[in-house]
Amino acid sequence: MPASPAAPGSTALGEPRSEAGRRRAGRPVGGVLDKAGITAAALELIEKKGYVGLTMAALARSLNVAPSALYNHMESKRDVLLLVEDHLAALVDVSAFGSEPWEEAVRKWAWSYRDVFSRHTPLIPVIAVLPVTDAPQTLAMYETVSVGFRDAGIPEERIVSSIVALESFIFGSAYDVTAPADIFDSGSMAEATPSFTGAVRSLAAQGHERPADVAFSLGLEALIAGLGALRE
Amino acid sequence: MPASPAAPGSTALGEPRSEAGRRRAGRPVGGVLDKAGITAAALELIEKKGYVGLTMAALARSLNVAPSALYNHMESKRDVLLLVEDHLAALVDVSAFGSEPWEEAVRKWAWSYRDVFSRHTPLIPVIAVLPVTDAPQTLAMYETVSVGFRDAGIPEERIVSSIVALESFIFGSAYDVTAPADIFDSGSMAEATPSFTGAVRSLAAQGHERPADVAFSLGLEALIAGLGALRE
DNA sequence: CCACTAAATGAATGCCATTCATTTATGAGA
DNA sequence: TCTCATAAATGAATGGCATTCATTTAGTGG
């Protein structure tokens, strides 16, 4: 017989019932507070402590709950990451599709997409392999983008490949944003790599504030031009 | 007084001395067996058990050594990953630079780069933020590519940004290769996302063996064309 | 009022990277 | 040949982690 449990009123989860349970018992709807609450707590934790601080124990603590309680609502930590990912997908700006020329819409989408995930790079390995079924907001983003591509005249068989190509570039570029400024400092090997060292110096001499932005712009414009050329 | 140690002859490390120690004592050179041995063992472990199986304990075991012994040679597990990364960089095919037209050289380099790292995606977050000083083989690759870009007439200030743009695309694409085949199956949300679902079906109808290759080719050719257009 | 069940609990479990005081073994110099 | 310095190996911690499980709590429909 374990020790007496915490006061029941002290728990904060608003809608602590599984889908199945809710359906069977016909509860007062909701369904939001549960996943929404976990997502909000996870996001706050990530903001304050970063992804290193996002542990099941810390998450439970910030929800005033025992770690094991989380497993009544999620199968694993991966599910928490999925929740966060899907929330972020809704922050990506797809508004220009339908209201602006395709090139401009892609540009805004891509910059926004990269900016959102550059602050959440630990999610990238998760997203990249994530079946879209598990992430409704992400799927909604794909739908909007897809309509935009179709309306712009991209042949239907190429739409998915084009999106994937852009997304791959975006994910890779999100990492760049977080790279240290001196990442290309060749140090003691400088004499052995004159061409590369010269190129690094030459870029540095331009004095760009965010070198990652230059590379991103360069690649993005090339992709937009190249993919746009395939329109009918 | 701890128990008696293992028989000394049973350890396998060939050159167990730090740089400093070797320098000071003027040992018979070598220096290879240490890092090379660890790298080889790590690679074998990764091949057999994947990155989940690459633990310090497992690595030590495959070297017939106690886990703590590894810390006489490496600061942390990250150093092991670095060693592996740098070894892989040497496998990337840069041979076409200097012997073939720029476009073709970039193509071969990019495909080879993607293929190598698609089997080592857990390293991508490490590489993306890795100061090149710590990875001589990686730096050597950059040098070769850089010379190729310069000889092709890419303006010096743009060389690094062009390489970064390509690399970002390559890293992102490496993840794609590992994605499950049904990643874009919209499942029960299909009716809600007609355009995307149609695009997915349309791509599937083409019957490509490896859809990731289609997207990679599409993006890569766009990048080559776009970056190539900036040559002087 | 009872039976059912979702949800919460805390105490494991097992894995992990990393640290540390201690011991072993080897080469250099006397 | 002996001695000393030191690199390297050892095993026993440490602390953190995700996850599991038997048990208890509390709310709902009958």
Side-chain angles (χ1 to χ4, degrees):
Chain A
M1 43 178 111
S4 67
S10 73
T11 64
L13 233 42
E15 176 40 336
R17 260 190 155 86
S18 78
E19 302 263 355
R22 227 178 296 120
R23 224 180 294 117
R24 212 173 316 167
R27 297 294 300 304
V29 209
V32 202
L33 217 45
D34 199 357
K35 290 191 174 179
I38 293 179
T39 308
L43 281 165
E44 199 186 351
L45 208 47
I46 290 162
E47 230 177 80
K48 273 197 267 198
K49 315 266 185 174
Y51 278 85
V52 203
L54 180 63
T55 68
M56 295 301 269
L59 185 57
R61 225 170 73 82
S62 77
L63 286 163
N64 295 315
V65 143
S68 52
L70 291 171
Y71 290 87
N72 287 322
H73 305 276
M74 330 239 49
E75 291 244 318
S76 69
K77 182 176 179 180
R78 186 167 193 276
D79 290 1
V80 176
L81 296 179
L82 243 65
L83 245 34
V84 173
E85 190 280 324
D86 206 41
H87 179 267
L88 294 177
L91 301 182
V92 175
D93 180 16
V94 292
S95 67
F97 285 104
S99 65
E100 295 188 44
W102 179 81
E103 285 88 348
E104 187 56 20
V106 173
R107 221 180 328 259
K108 286 187 175 163
W109 168 64
W111 278 97
S112 146
Y113 202 166
R114 185 203 66 149
D115 286 346
V116 168
F117 283 96
S118 65
R119 273 168 284 123
H120 297 271
T121 52
L123 289 178
I124 292 178
V126 177
I127 318 169
V129 181
L130 171 70
V132 290
T133 321
D134 303 341
Q137 304 286 334
T138 308
L139 188 50
M141 177 187 78
Y142 285 139
E143 176 65 9
T144 304
V145 173
S146 205
V147 170
F149 276 47
R150 176 199 294 268
D151 291 350
I154 306 259
E156 194 177 33
E157 335 80 69
R158 291 202 208 266
I159 292 179
V160 172
S161 298
S162 301
I163 294 176
V164 169
L166 280 160
E167 235 184 357
S168 298
F169 176 65
I170 289 163
F171 291 154
S173 300
Y175 282 120
D176 284 342
V177 177
T178 73
D182 63 335
I183 188 175
F184 288 130
D185 184 8
S186 17
S188 62
M189 313 271 295
E191 311 101 39
T193 59
S195 178
F196 181 66
T197 302
V200 170
R201 265 200 258 281
S202 174
L203 171 61
Q206 306 274 101
H208 296 291
E209 274 198 41
R210 311 219 311 167
D213 287 358
V214 177
F216 186 66
S217 176
L218 199 60
L220 180 58
E221 295 307 320
L223 284 167
I224 290 175
L227 298 176
L230 302 173
R231 282 181 287 175
E232 287 162 341
Chain B
M1 49 180 107
S4 65
S10 71
T11 65
L13 233 40
E15 175 42 334
R17 259 187 157 88
S18 78
E19 302 261 355
R22 226 178 296 121
R23 223 179 298 117
R24 212 172 317 167
R27 299 291 303 302
V29 209
V32 202
L33 216 44
D34 199 357
K35 290 191 175 179
I38 293 180
T39 307
L43 280 165
E44 199 187 350
L45 207 48
I46 290 163
E47 230 178 82
K48 272 197 267 196
K49 315 265 185 174
Y51 278 85
V52 203
L54 180 63
T55 67
M56 294 302 269
L59 185 58
R61 226 172 72 81
S62 77
L63 287 163
N64 295 316
V65 144
S68 52
L70 292 171
Y71 290 87
N72 288 321
H73 305 276
M74 330 239 50
E75 291 244 317
S76 69
K77 183 177 179 179
R78 186 167 192 275
D79 289 2
V80 177
L81 296 179
L82 242 67
L83 244 35
V84 173
E85 189 280 326
D86 207 40
H87 180 266
L88 294 176
L91 301 181
V92 175
D93 180 16
V94 292
S95 67
F97 285 104
S99 65
E100 295 188 43
W102 179 81
E103 283 88 349
E104 188 56 20
V106 173
R107 222 179 328 260
K108 285 187 175 165
W109 168 64
W111 279 97
S112 146
Y113 201 167
R114 186 203 66 148
D115 288 344
V116 168
F117 282 97
S118 65
R119 274 168 283 120
H120 296 271
T121 54
L123 288 178
I124 292 178
V126 177
I127 319 168
V129 180
L130 171 69
V132 291
T133 319
D134 304 342
Q137 304 285 332
T138 307
L139 188 51
M141 178 187 77
Y142 286 138
E143 176 66 9
T144 305
V145 173
S146 202
V147 169
F149 276 46
R150 175 198 296 266
D151 291 351
I154 307 260
E156 195 178 32
E157 336 78 69
R158 291 202 206 267
I159 291 179
V160 172
S161 298
S162 301
I163 294 176
V164 168
L166 280 160
E167 235 185 355
S168 298
F169 175 66
I170 288 164
F171 291 154
S173 299
Y175 282 120
D176 284 341
V177 176
T178 73
D182 64 335
I183 188 175
F184 288 129
D185 183 9
S186 18
S188 61
M189 313 272 295
E191 313 101 37
T193 59
S195 178
F196 181 66
T197 303
V200 170
R201 264 199 259 283
S202 174
L203 172 60
Q206 307 274 101
H208 295 292
E209 273 198 43
R210 311 217 312 166
D213 286 358
V214 178
F216 186 66
S217 177
L218 199 60
L220 181 58
E221 295 306 320
L223 284 168
I224 291 175
L227 298 177
L230 302 172
R231 283 180 287 176
E232 287 161 340

